[in-house]
């Protein structure tokens, strides 16, 4: 009886866990994936790449910041409203969580930069390596 | 010279560990009394050499010996003394050295404070800890030698990571490691019991105080880490479900289950093999935590060091420890039978429920933490599992746990009557629900989440108080009777009250906090929950090893100024690393939190992050209560007075100490 209850309970818990697990998986895409339309619309995903030098702008001196990310093959424009992490810099690799809007602009909910200036997020490093283009300006 | 001495001392510590790991265990199984007797001195010797080794590295930091590569990488002449000392464990090699030192300390403490444990058992326990120690010291010597020289020696060091230059984080790693490594004691007792084929009440009683103390340190360590993340990372969050946080939280959950399961094993002789399994898992998860943090497989703000060779070593080590102990478990556990029975409505059932919930929670967190790594390793793509998953799993599992806490205290061992219990608590339950329905009315808005959280917290408090009153007996309160209540019971009471405080903290923080990122020009005002934040501009200031832009913000409430906040944006000079230093006005019921982002335009406007955090202190306060409970319970007198056992085991295996041998073990096991 007791064992039965426990098994049912554990089963239910596992079921719920797996369900919310599936709902909350976030996939990583490179900028090339996004430009080629491989990334989903209206679903949260993670986008990584290098912030293009000179691309960071703040229209109207407001909280909204716009910049371009690249994997040295294709670029994606990112918009983020809020305070950027300390180590967000042009020329550095970052990862952003967010969704694509209808215009193909990535609306970020969160921007992550690692606390080490030489650091490159592993996903970004991987997606940069996959591009045959030489890493210009590095 | 000092560095070489440290290195040499580390090698000697390894020799001691080898002696400790081999002779006593072999001696115990073959009844060679001389080898058994080696355990204590070897444990002390290991501690001595580890301490010398650690002292040498600390000396290198204090004297700015940049010819030691590790010191050159993590220190600087401008560094304040506190951070010179904490810099020793500021990066990979030193933190591993600290780990090994703490392991030696625990081993030494067990050797010192276990005078009433039979020598044979103690030899096995210390031996197992020696084996673990061999792994860690080898790891240090082979892959991460902190004493490596750098030639030519640089004139100036590269400075400690500015994030780590903080008093909270200076003591966070030692606390966390005390906890992690402390579970090795429970692990060693479990393995020793399996080797001996004897799992009885005495074994559980020996393990309990050690497990409690380790758990206390882990609790403090995690709370410190969370507190640090809150004020230092500048995001104002207290828990991020970051893989590294999860790595410390999983052993905590299993350790919590272990504490309760040990209680049942000691008092009633039930769940014996389950308890052993929990002890194995608690320590394995501690090792896994080290692997996750130190191998660089994680995308995380905390993963400061990374090197694949190290990751491989820890992975192999982990496989040996987990695989070996599970193998031993598989061989020995079938012979251990719990003869004691209990009915569905009993304290045992409540503890079982507690254990199932905790283990399921830990497993879900493990799934969310490891799954992305596995998928990545198999080349199936890059994914990540975000906080929504963890919240979705954690909250539904923790709510029943809070109810179970109350039930566990209400129910009696072995068998109880549900009708009697229901009759006793009906008014309490009603009162809890009624009060919880009323409290959100005085809050800014009504929230059912708050009602649920407050109900759970009040239920826990009410039942804890009630069971304490019960414990005092029918004559009611008196100071004399207060003294007859055992420390273990006090500990449980305090820890369970801590759960209530913690639940109030997370509920009200997540429901009633207000967070805003805003653009503010000088003299702009912002109204948040009745608090008026006024921005007065930014000016440059100079720190010991950084320059900073410092903003001035005043906060007033109902026309009266309540706080002056001066958040900074620092740039540390050596590494040119920017750091946000939030300013916080802390209070028991609310925190006011301001951090600055960056200048916007050239009119002196800045982006500011302004938070109103309600009841956030209660989260850490609750954790402190729990830790205090663990400490109080560990001081229980019962752990000191054990059955008088003549220590006449030497050389003759038949002459075992007459500690109560329960019938569930085969006579010749």
């Amino acid at each position: 009886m007791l064992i039965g209850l426990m098994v049912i309970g554990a089963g239910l818990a596992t079921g719920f866990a797996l369900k919310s697990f599936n709902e909350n998986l976030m996939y990583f895409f490179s900028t090339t994936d996004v430009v080629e339309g491989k990334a989903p619309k209206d679903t949260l995903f993670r986008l990584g790449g290098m912030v293009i030098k000179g691309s960071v702008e703040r229209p109207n001196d407001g909280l909204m910041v716009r910049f371009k990310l690249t994997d040295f093959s294709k670029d994606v424009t990112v918009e983020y409203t809020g305070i950027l992490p300390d180590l967000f810099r042009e020329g550095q690799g970052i990862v952003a969580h967010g969704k694509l809007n209808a215009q193909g602009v990535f609306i970020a909910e969160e921007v992550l930069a690692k606390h080490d200036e030489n650091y490159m997020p592993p996903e970004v490093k991987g997606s940069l390596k996959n591009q045959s283009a030489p890493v210009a300006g590095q | 010279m000092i560095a070489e001495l440290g290195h040499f001392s580390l090698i000697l510590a390894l020799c001691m560990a080898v002696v400790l790991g081999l002779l006593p265990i072999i001696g115990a199984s073959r009844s060679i009394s001389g080898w058994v007797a080696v355990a204590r001195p070897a444990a002390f010797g290991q501690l001595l050499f580890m301490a010398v080794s650690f002292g040498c590295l600390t000396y290198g930091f204090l004297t700015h010996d940049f010819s030691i590569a590790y010191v050159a990488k993590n220190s600087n002449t401008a560094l304040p003394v506190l951070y010179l000392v904490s810099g020793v464990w500021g990066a990979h090699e030193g933190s591993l050295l600290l780990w090994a030192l703490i392991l030696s300390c625990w081993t030494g403490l067990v050797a010192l404070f276990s005078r009433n444990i039979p020598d044979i058992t103690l030899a096995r326990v210390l031996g197992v800890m020696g084996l673990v120690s061999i792994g860690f010291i080898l790891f240090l010597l082979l892959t991460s030698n902190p004493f490596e020289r750098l030639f030519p020696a640089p004139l100036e060091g590269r400075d400690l990571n500015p994030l780590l230059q903080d008093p909270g984080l200076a003591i966070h790693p030692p606390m966390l490691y005390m906890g992690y490594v402390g579970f090795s004691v429970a692990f060693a007792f479990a393995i020793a019991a399996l080797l001996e084929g004897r799992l009885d009440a005495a074994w559980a009683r020996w393990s309990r105080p050690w497990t409690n103390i380790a758990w206390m340190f882990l609790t403090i360590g995690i709370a410190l880490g969370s507190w640090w993340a809150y004020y230092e990372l500048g995001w104002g969050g207290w828990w991020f479900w970051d893989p590294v946080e999860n790595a410390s939280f999983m052993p905590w959950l299993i350790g919590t289950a272990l504490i309760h399961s040990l209680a049942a094993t000691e008092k009633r002789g039930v769940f014996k093999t389950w308890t052993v399994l929990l002890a194995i898992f608690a320590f394995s998860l501690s090792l896994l935590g080290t692997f996750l943090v130190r191998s660089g497989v994680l995308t995380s703000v905390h993963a400061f060091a990374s090197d694949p060779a190290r990751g491989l070593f820890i992975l192999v080590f982990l496989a040996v420890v987990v695989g070996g102990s599970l193998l031993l478990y598989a061989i020995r556990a079938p012979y251990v039978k719990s003869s004691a029975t209990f009915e569905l409505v009993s304290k045992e059932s409540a503890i079982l429920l507690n254990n199932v919930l905790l283990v399921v929670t830990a497993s879900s967190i493990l799934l969310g933490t490891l799954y992305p790594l596995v998928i990545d390793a198999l080349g199936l793509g890059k994914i990540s599992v975000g906080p929504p998953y963890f919240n979705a799993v954690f909250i539904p599992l923790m709510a029943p746990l809070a109810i179970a806490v109350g039930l566990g205290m209400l129910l009696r061992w072995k068998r109880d009557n549900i009708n009697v219990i229901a009759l006793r608590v009906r008014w309490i339950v009603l009162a809890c629900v009624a009060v919880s329905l009323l409290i959100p009315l005085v809050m800014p808005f009504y929230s059912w989440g708050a009602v649920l959280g407050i109900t759970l917290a009040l239920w826990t408090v009410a039942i804890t108080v009630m069971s304490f009153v019960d414990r005092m007996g029918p004559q009611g309160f008196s100071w004399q009777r207060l003294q007859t209540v055992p420390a273990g019971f006090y500990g449980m009471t305090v820890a369970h009250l801590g759960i209530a405080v913690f639940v109030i903290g997370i509920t009200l923080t997540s429901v009633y906090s207000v967070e805003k990122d805003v653009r503010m020009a000088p003299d702009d005002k912002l109204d948040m929950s009745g608090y008026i934040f006024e921005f007065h501009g930014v000016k440059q200031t100079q720190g010991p090893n950084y320059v900073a832009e410092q903003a001035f913000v005043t906060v007033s409430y109902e026309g009266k100024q309540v706080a002056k906040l001066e958040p900074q944006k620092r740039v540390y000079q050596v590494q040119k690393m920017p750091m946000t230093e939030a300013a916080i006005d802390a209070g028991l019921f609310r925190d006011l939190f301001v951090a600055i982002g960056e200048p916007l335009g050239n009119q002196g406007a800045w982006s500011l992050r302004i938070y109103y955090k309600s009841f956030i202190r209660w989260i850490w306060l609750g954790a402190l209560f729990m830790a205090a409970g663990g400490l109080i319970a560990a001081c229980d007198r019962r752990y000191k007075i054990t059955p008088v056992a003549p220590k006449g085991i030497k050389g003759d295996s038949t002459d075992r100490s007459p500690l109560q041998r329960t019938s569930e073990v085969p006579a010749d096991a």
Side-chain angles (χ1 to χ4, degrees), chain B residues 301-580:
Chain B
V301 285
H302 299 61
F304 293 110
S306 55
D307 178 348
R310 291 166 179 173
L312 191 67
F313 188 104
I314 301 184
L315 202 57
V316 170
F317 184 53
L318 193 66
V320 170
V321 172
V322 180
S325 39
L326 287 184
L327 183 68
L328 183 65
Y329 176 80
I331 296 171
R332 286 297 170 88
Y335 296 107
V336 179
K337 298 258 166 26
S338 296
S339 54
T341 56
F342 59 93
E343 290 185 3
L344 179 60
V345 182
S346 63
K347 202 190 267 302
E348 286 92 331
S349 293
I351 288 182
L352 190 58
L353 180 64
N354 145 308
N355 270 241
V356 170
L357 289 168
L358 286 166
V359 170
V360 169
T361 310
S363 319
S364 324
I365 295 175
L366 189 68
L367 173 74
T369 311
L370 289 189
Y371 187 75
L373 301 179
V374 173
I375 291 298
D376 188 22
L378 298 176
L380 296 176
K382 306 269 190 195
I383 56 163
S384 77
V385 179
Y389 162 73
F390 293 106
N391 288 333
V393 171
F394 186 68
I395 294 164
L397 283 169
M398 284 302 109
L401 185 62
I403 297 173
V405 167
L407 282 180
M409 283 185 289
L410 277 175
L411 291 166
R412 276 178 306 194
W413 293 109
K414 203 163 179 185
R415 117 159 47 90
D416 210 329
N417 187 335
I418 194 80
N419 296 327
V420 175
I421 297 282
L423 219 57
R424 280 195 72 192
V425 300
R426 62 195 162 149
W427 296 117
I428 292 180
V429 172
L430 266 178
C432 289
V433 174
V435 173
S436 318
L437 285 168
L438 291 177
I439 287 181
L441 291 176
V442 300
M443 292 300 205
F445 56 90
Y446 205 86
S447 150
W448 290 107
V451 172
L452 176 67
I454 296 169
T455 308
L456 292 175
L458 287 179
W459 156 260
T460 310
V461 172
I463 301 300
T464 307
V465 171
M466 195 174 111
S467 68
F468 193 82
V469 172
D470 278 358
R471 184 77 197 203
M472 303 264 288
Q475 293 93 349
F477 177 85
S478 88
W479 288 108
Q480 277 83 31
R481 272 197 291 282
L482 217 51
Q483 286 162 9
T484 60
V485 175
F489 200 83
Y490 274 111
M492 181 193 82
T493 304
V494 172
H496 285 170
L497 290 177
I499 295 179
V501 174
F502 177 77
V503 168
I504 290 280
I506 47 173
T507 307
L508 297 186
T509 299
S510 50
V511 174
Y512 292 111
S513 291
V514 189
E515 316 188 338
K516 259 183 196 153
D517 285 358
V518 288
R519 175 186 196 276
M520 283 183 111
D523 302 324
D524 274 1
K525 286 180 187 173
L526 175 83
D527 183 344
M528 184 179 276
S529 304
Y531 289 90
I532 313 288
F533 290 77
E534 186 171 4
F535 178 61
H536 301 284
V538 169
K539 74 168 195 193
Q540 285 248 335
T541 96
Q542 176 84 44
N545 50 356
Y546 58 85
V547 289
E549 309 258 27
Q550 180 169 306
F552 293 90
V553 177
T554 51
V555 189
S556 50
Y557 187 71
E558 290 172 347
K560 267 201 321 215
Q561 180 169 322
V562 291
K564 247 197 205 151
L565 297 172
E566 299 178 346
Q568 295 181 332
K569 189 96 182 174
R570 294 178 181 172
V571 177
Y572 282 82
Q573 290 305 289
V574 180
Q575 298 188 352
K576 296 282 172 227
M577 188 162 143
M579 275 271 307
T580 301

Side-chain angles (χ1 to χ4, degrees), chain B residues 50-86:
Chain B
M50 278 311 303
V52 168
S53 180
F54 192 82
C56 290
L57 190 62
T58 312
Y59 182 82
F61 269 86
L62 290 174
T63 55
H64 305 296
D65 185 354
F66 298 130
S67 70
I68 303 172
Y70 182 74
V71 179
K73 246 186 269 172
N74 295 292
S75 182
N76 186 275
T77 47
L79 209 57
V81 175
L82 171 64
Y83 304 128
L84 284 177
V85 175
S86 73

Side-chain angles (χ1 to χ4, degrees), chain A residues 35-135:
Chain A
V35 173
E36 287 173 357
K38 285 184 198 155
K41 301 266 184 225
D42 294 324
T43 308
L44 275 179
F45 66 92
R46 308 196 316 146
L47 171 71
M50 179 86 102
V51 182
I52 295 179
K53 286 202 168 120
S55 74
V56 180
E57 51 168 346
R58 286 188 179 275
N60 323 319
D61 288 341
L63 276 180
M64 202 267 271
V65 58
R66 187 182 292 146
F67 54 90
K68 285 198 167 86
L69 278 184
T70 183
D71 58 0
F72 302 110
S73 164
K74 301 276 170 49
D75 306 344
V76 171
T77 303
V78 178
E79 284 184 6
Y80 173 69
T81 304
I83 294 176
L84 291 165
D86 286 339
L87 279 149
F88 177 91
R89 266 185 231 161
E90 297 185 346
Q92 209 203 322
I94 62 137
V95 171
H97 299 180
K99 286 180 190 174
L100 277 180
N101 72 3
Q103 285 76 43
V105 173
F106 187 76
I107 308 297
E109 293 179 356
E110 196 179 1
V111 174
L112 302 173
K114 171 94 180 187
H115 274 275
D116 173 350
E117 55 190 324
N118 300 318
Y119 177 81
M120 183 74 78
E123 295 98 329
V124 177
K125 207 190 262 171
S127 77
L128 295 184
K129 250 188 232 154
N130 290 340
Q131 298 302 322
S132 50
V135 180

Side-chain angles (χ1 to χ4, degrees), chain B residues 99-376:
Chain B
W99 179 296
L101 173 70
I102 290 176
L103 182 57
S104 306
C105 287
W106 279 108
T107 316
L109 287 173
V110 172
L112 195 63
F113 287 111
S114 302
R115 294 282 173 204
N116 46 21
I117 294 181
D119 282 356
I120 289 229
T121 308
L122 184 68
R124 288 197 169 110
V125 171
L126 294 178
V128 172
M129 296 183 78
L131 289 175
V132 175
S133 187
I134 294 176
F136 266 93
I137 302 180
L138 265 184
F139 181 45
L140 272 162
L141 289 170
L142 296 180
T143 71
S144 357
N145 179 8
F147 297 105
E148 211 157 278
R149 290 284 189 177
L150 187 62
F151 189 80
L155 288 173
E156 188 53 276
R158 275 181 39 203
D159 204 5
L160 182 65
N161 185 330
L163 269 177
L164 307 183
Q165 296 185 27
D166 171 85
L169 207 64
I171 51 169
H172 163 66
M175 290 292 150
L176 205 57
Y177 286 7
M178 285 296 281
Y180 273 175
V181 185
F183 284 136
S184 71
V185 182
F187 171 78
F189 270 104
I191 296 295
L194 282 179
L195 284 172
E196 207 163 320
R198 214 172 97 160
L199 295 157
D200 50 22
W203 156 72
R205 187 167 54 239
W206 294 327
S207 297
R208 283 186 75 186
W210 297 104
T211 312
N212 276 353
I213 297 281
W215 181 86
M216 172 202 78
F217 278 114
L218 190 58
T219 310
I220 295 179
I222 295 174
L224 270 176
S226 152
W227 180 50
W228 168 79
Y230 168 68
Y231 68 75
E232 188 72 14
L233 291 181
W235 310 330
W238 59 277
W239 193 259
F240 302 98
W241 295 111
D242 178 293
V244 176
E245 289 172 330
N246 295 347
S248 64
F249 192 43
M250 290 184 286
W252 187 87
L253 288 168
I254 299 293
T256 311
L258 175 62
I259 286 178
H260 292 90
S261 170
L262 270 172
T265 305
E266 190 209 338
K267 294 254 162 99
R268 294 276 305 129
V270 290
F271 311 144
K272 287 178 180 170
T273 49
W274 172 246
T275 306
V276 169
L277 208 54
L278 284 178
I280 294 174
F281 281 139
F283 185 57
S284 303
L285 284 169
S286 299
L287 288 180
L288 181 73
T290 319
F291 164 69
L292 289 178
V293 179
R294 294 300 168 190
S295 61
V297 290
L298 296 173
T299 313
S300 153
V301 285
H302 299 61
F304 293 110
S306 55
D307 178 348
R310 291 166 179 173
L312 191 67
F313 188 104
I314 301 184
L315 202 57
V316 170
F317 184 53
L318 193 66
V320 170
V321 172
V322 180
S325 39
L326 287 184
L327 183 68
L328 183 65
Y329 176 80
I331 296 171
R332 286 297 170 88
Y335 296 107
V336 179
K337 298 258 166 26
S338 296
S339 54
T341 56
F342 59 93
E343 290 185 3
L344 179 60
V345 182
S346 63
K347 202 190 267 302
E348 286 92 331
S349 293
I351 288 182
L352 190 58
L353 180 64
N354 145 308
N355 270 241
V356 170
L357 289 168
L358 286 166
V359 170
V360 169
T361 310
S363 319
S364 324
I365 295 175
L366 189 68
L367 173 74
T369 311
L370 289 189
Y371 187 75
L373 301 179
V374 173
I375 291 298
D376 188 22

